[in-house]
Amino acid sequence: MEGTMQGDDLAAIAEKHQGSRRKYCLRTCMSAGCMSSRADAIKKGLDAEVKAQGLEGEVEVRRVGCMGFCGLGPLVGLDGMKEREILFEHVTPEDAPAIIRAVQAKDHGLQVADPDHPFFSKQMRVVRANGGIIDPERIEDYVAANGYRALYHVLTDIRPAEVVEEITRSGLRGRGGAGFPTGLKWGTVAKSPGARKFVVCNGDEGDPGAYMDRSILESDPHLVLEGMAIAAYAVGADQGFLYVRAEYPLAISRLQTAIRQAKQLGLLGGGIFETPFTFNVDIRIGAGAFVCGEETALMASVEGRRGTPRPRPPFPAERGLWGCPTLINNVETFANIVPIINRGAAWYAGIGTERSKGTKVFALTGKVQNNGLIEVPMGITLRQIVEEMGGGAIGGAKVKAVQTGGPSGGCIPAEYLDTSVDYESLTKLGSIMGSGGMVVMDDSTNMVEIARFYMDFCRDESCGKCIPCRAGTVQMFELLEKILSRKATARDIAMLEELCDLVKHTSLCGLGQTAPNPVLSTLRFFRNEYTELLQPEPAGECAASGQ
Amino acid sequence: MTAHASGDKRFKILEAHIKKFQARQDALIEVLHKAQELFGYLEDDLLLFVAHRLKLPPSRVYGVATFYHFFCLKPQGAHTCVVCLGTACYVKGSAKVLAAAEAAAGIKSGETTPDSQLSLLTARCIGACAIAPAVVYDGQVAAKQTPEMVLAQLEKWREPCKATT
Ligand SMILES: Cc1cc2nc3c(=O)[nH]c(=O)nc-3n(C[C@H](O)[C@H](O)[C@H](O)COP(=O)(O)O)c2cc1C
Ligand code: SF4
Ligand code: FES
């Protein structure tokens, strides 16, 4: 049926798929986190047990993507029970018989998660709505969950300019870090003259300590593909590239599967839904360079070159891949498009704060009780996230700071936990929203060491193209080493601050421009930790040489 | 036509992969990924082969291969142990895990033991942050690792016959 898909066909696929559903469904997380604890053996065990008990007609064992509470994994969810779903935690392959007993409403004696826990109840699932629910390797599952309707609607009922307007009205801002208004970017690409245009999805996710994009790609790949297709229609592109880092092999293989299936059903390729619209997507695999997350470096990498940034303007929206106008958005940005089209810009703009709309996915990690992925409305406070959802620091320790924005961000001290999570508030505190990494640090953390840790990272990842960043990160790293080895004086701190200022204002790309942020923010809020390590200033040169 | 004078079959597979991309020069990184997957590492002869087939100057191929951390130009050990040093793993003590592995293996991260049995590497986040500290043993991610656990795994590799699990 290649290329002959229509709206009715979507309904037919969904209906047929619904018919194959069973009374009970055992959703087994097969995302990267749980896979590392033998989730594949768990699924096999469940399949075998269902078969052994002759329950195939009643129980479906489904592979699903990330359910979020990764710290409790491996997770298995059970739907179809009289009351509510049951979520088994810390499951082992040996638990299969007990889980089947639970299906039969018998005693099972397994550990289950509390669905009323704030970790779940405070979430608002918009982009992660299908995560942990559908099988990411079956397009029918996505279609049955209303998938590809937004694309159908857009292609058959709305003009490209109206799509751009809708996204603009929603107030969506880029989720890759900088928070640039998405509608404005789409409008620029749409208006840029060019015989050919491209759409690029940035799945480089370089922030160490963050895995939101990985989870979206692994759990709901079609959501991103559909968002990209809608974007391509809106800006007039016919080719897309999905840039994924090589560290994410499962995400890559699920995307390959998704693209193949979408092509088979005619949802990618030529003449989609019998309209003139053509769109193809190719995957490009990164090769372990953080700087390739920067948009101009990413484009160089897609073209098969060394991933070094170039000055902007010209912006990719005007001159991008092979000199053509190119739209680059983050994975989560694209994942927001389908919900906006389906439920309307007004609905979306109703979530969040005045200037930060919608939800944001965070990877809550570090020294916090409950580790995992959460999707929350913008405007929630850090305290609600860290203390209520996260359950506070581990083992009765005190939360000292929350790091957001990775190597480009900063550490927000515990006194500011009542800050609202939105682009402006976090920037005011010397951090950034970033892509969604949120690493909690407790009172045993040495903040100068954290500053050194990030500077080490930036020093390693600097592409070396411009001097302030190439040489400055090395100098700053060495000053931090000197401070940590208790050999520095107040003058070294002054020098460090001067260097921060210089590197921030003279580097070519965002990597260098933001590399000083972790130092500046720890100096701002934890200056005493630096000064405690200092040596007294020698009492003037003459005195020193005199004796 | 043989793909490579040596007659090594892996060159044929690589050749087929290059054809899949119509020998496009912008597929260089894709081709290098495949080459590394097939050969384990990128030696000079292999880089020259790729340069020749994509009609690219060897300097360009070498420049790309050395720019990206993922590509290695030296042979790796029979086993690889990758300790994540991303932020989430770092605050949960991955530096101690790495130090234990370095001490036990007698090498620094980035090196391979003289008997070519083990390569010790580090990563900047592999996306398993909720189960930090994460270590990847021969491509298999392991959750919540401690120095004792990494030592046990290294020991197991050293004496495969005596392994219990
Ligand atoms: C050093 C550096 C690394 C970056 N890494 C990423 C990344 O991993 N993922 C991402 O989406 N954006 C990253 N960005 C931001 C991109 O340059 C770009 O702004 C973004 O992909 C635009 O998409 P958005 O508007 O949807 O956020 C990075 C920027 C810099 C300067
Ligand atoms: S700021 Fe750093 S990463 Fe960016 S271009 Fe300059 S050297 Fe390269
Ligand atoms: S920080 Fe180690 S997996 Fe993310």
Side-chain angles (χ1 to χ4, degrees), chain A residues 5-19:
Chain A
M5 192 67 144
Q6 289 180 22
D8 296 347
D9 298 330
L10 284 179
I13 291 174
E15 202 170 307
K16 183 157 166 246
H17 195 61
Q18 291 299 352

Side-chain angles (χ1 to χ4, degrees), chain A residues 3-34:
Chain A
T4 62
M5 192 67 144
Q6 289 180 22
D8 296 347
D9 298 330
L10 284 179
I13 291 174
E15 202 170 307
K16 183 157 166 246
H17 195 61
Q18 291 299 352
S20 70
R21 284 277 135 92
R22 302 282 174 269
K23 181 166 180 225
Y24 302 103
C25 178
L26 283 167
R27 290 176 287 115
T28 313
C29 174
M30 308 260 304
S31 228
C34 291

